[in-house]
């Protein structure tokens, strides 16, 4: 008598694949913009492990380091430290430190203001 391998039903395989896809989607980075000191725009794609920063024509990769109170990312090679908490970010590159706030048209106070017409 030959034994056939047991294959889980198709619905179970598809459900397992869907769960894996959702789990993978959870670690995808979302692109957000911060307005820093001097009206300088910084764009960040941060996830729980690493991130990408785009600032004034430069792109950097940063890795998250453990910190219980805030999200902290560093790149020792590029001398960068990023600390985020709520809507605020502190961006340090070399000797320059910038205070930044999350910028979004969807958040109150961030939307562009229209000038009154005469």
């Amino acid at each position: 008598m030959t034994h056939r391998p047991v294959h889980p039903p198709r619905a179970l395989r598809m459900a397992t694949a869907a769960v894996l896809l959702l789990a993978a989607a959870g670690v995808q980075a979302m692109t957000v913009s911060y307005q820093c000191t001097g009206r300088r725009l910084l764009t960040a794609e941060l996830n729980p492990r690493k991130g990408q920063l785009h600032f004034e024509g430069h792109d950097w990769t940063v890795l998250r380091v453990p910190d219980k109170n805030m999200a902290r990312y560093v790149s020792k090679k590029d001398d960068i430290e990023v600390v985020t908490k709520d809507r605020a970010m502190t961006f340090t590159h070399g000797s320059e430190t910038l205070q930044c706030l999350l910028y979004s048209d969807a958040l109150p106070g961030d939307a562009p203001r229209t000038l009154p017409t005469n």
Side-chain angles (χ1 to χ4, degrees), residues 43-104:
T43 305
E45 299 161 9
L46 303 173
N47 69 40
R49 293 185 182 172
K50 66 180 182 176
Q52 291 286 326
L53 302 176
H54 312 283
F55 183 66
E56 296 182 341
H58 299 283
D59 297 319
W60 297 290
T61 299
V62 291
L63 297 175
R64 186 162 182 179
V65 294
D67 194 316
K68 292 182 182 181
N69 299 322
M70 61 198 78
R72 188 168 162 250
Y73 298 82
V74 297
S75 171
K76 291 183 181 183
K77 178 183 87 170
D78 298 313
D79 197 18
I80 292 175
E81 179 182 48
V82 172
V83 177
T84 64
K85 187 170 184 178
D86 300 325
R87 290 182 61 192
M89 171 192 277
T90 303
F91 171 69
T92 303
H93 180 233
S95 61
E96 181 178 34
T97 299
L98 299 174
Q99 298 301 317
C100 309
L101 288 176
L102 185 64
Y103 179 83
S104 169

